Amino acid sequence: MKLYVYDHCPYCVKARMIFGLKNIPFEMVTLLNDDEETPVRMIGQKMAPILEKDDGSFMPESMDIVHYVDKEFGTLAITGSANPAVANWLKEVSAYLNHLLIPRYAKAEFSEFSTPSSRAYFAKKKEAAIGSFEQHLNNTPALKAQLEEDLLKLDALIQSPEACNGELSVDDIHLFPALRGMSIVKDVHYPTRVDAYRKTMSKRSGVNLLDSIAQ
């Protein structure tokens, strides 16, 4: 199977995770961010991730891919119950998180931005959506302080480094991509349980953290 992704994309991380968690081989193809033709040819619109199945058909939507791979290949991996508190935490953080992340993604050395036009395409689209990158970057101290305050709240919810609720659940598929995104922000202090969780889930899923390119 082939999985078409953008490296920075949290939805793509969700789809990548299930392959790693189940140790299922796949080919990962990173699309250029301004390549509209390829995804439109596959599914009729520009979006990622896209799974190309063994029969040559295409499946979009990250959670559809997650549930398909989990159910069709081997023993179920996602068997735990969700905790509404985790979903609520993610909802609260999502109100400001992209203001920290997207301006940094736009400058980072991701494969989807390997041409000037692909980087410019991303910057134009995202700045139109969230506002001035420069303004958000200048607001980093306040945003980072809010994030660290919220991470302390998350720390109280983490039950195990192996799975946030003690048993692998959809909460892990939603939570780890957010934490992985946060790792592009330089010098964020992670509470003990959050830090152990994000590092363990990175290893289990095979999806790298972004600490090495943090800005």
Side-chain angles (χ1 to χ4, degrees):
M1 290 180 285
K2 289 184 181 179
L3 186 66
Y4 296 84
V5 302
Y6 306 124
D7 192 359
H8 76 277
C9 167
Y11 300 101
C12 299
V13 172
K14 295 180 185 187
R16 292 167 61 185
M17 285 177 72
I18 193 63
F19 287 95
L21 291 168
K22 300 193 70 162
N23 197 28
I24 297 171
F26 72 106
E27 180 182 351
M28 188 168 74
V29 180
T30 305
L31 297 167
L32 286 172
N33 199 256
D34 61 344
D35 178 1
E36 297 180 352
E37 179 182 353
T38 300
V40 168
R41 173 175 52 82
M42 292 175 178
I43 60 168
Q45 59 182 308
K46 183 186 184 297
M47 65 182 297
I50 302 169
L51 177 66
E52 183 177 355
K53 300 180 185 178
D54 290 332
D55 65 4
S57 64
F58 297 101
M59 174 182 283
E61 301 291 349
S62 58
M63 292 309 295
D64 288 350
I65 294 169
V66 168
H67 291 305
Y68 168 77
V69 173
D70 196 21
K71 291 176 181 177
E72 296 296 325
F73 299 91
T75 304
L76 281 175
I78 301 173
T79 55
S81 299
N83 178 0
V86 174
N88 289 337
W89 185 88
L90 283 166
K91 183 178 180 180
E92 291 179 7
V93 171
S94 70
Y96 64 86
L97 187 58
N98 278 339
H99 294 171
L100 269 171
L101 306 190
I102 289 178
R104 290 170 167 82
Y105 292 158
K107 298 191 297 180
E109 295 302 316
F110 291 119
S111 296
E112 58 263 36
F113 305 142
S114 59
T115 64
S117 63
S118 60
R119 191 178 297 278
Y121 179 100
F122 177 84
K124 181 179 179 181
K125 292 278 187 180
K126 296 301 184 181
E127 200 156 22
I130 71 166
S132 166
F133 286 178
E134 182 179 5
Q135 181 178 337
H136 293 316
L137 288 169
N138 288 340
N139 198 31
T140 290
L143 291 170
K144 193 162 74 169
Q146 179 64 60
L147 177 61
E148 291 180 341
E149 182 179 321
D150 286 329
L151 286 169
L152 286 172
K153 298 175 186 176
L154 177 63
D155 201 59
L157 300 176
I158 300 292
Q159 296 184 28
S160 166
E162 300 285 333
C164 62
N165 301 327
E167 184 177 353
L168 198 66
S169 70
V170 292
D171 285 343
D172 295 293
I173 304 299
H174 297 309
L175 179 59
F176 174 71
L179 292 171
R180 194 251 190 176
M182 293 170 198
S183 66
I184 202 169
V185 183
K186 191 174 182 179
D187 296 331
V188 170
H189 174 72
Y190 295 95
T192 302
R193 278 178 285 190
V194 173
D195 196 41
Y197 171 80
R198 73 187 189 104
K199 290 174 179 174
T200 301
M201 191 56 65
S202 173
K203 185 174 181 179
R204 288 191 67 193
S205 67
V207 179
N208 65 306
L209 293 169
L210 303 174
D211 296 314
S212 63
I213 60 169
Q215 307 165 30

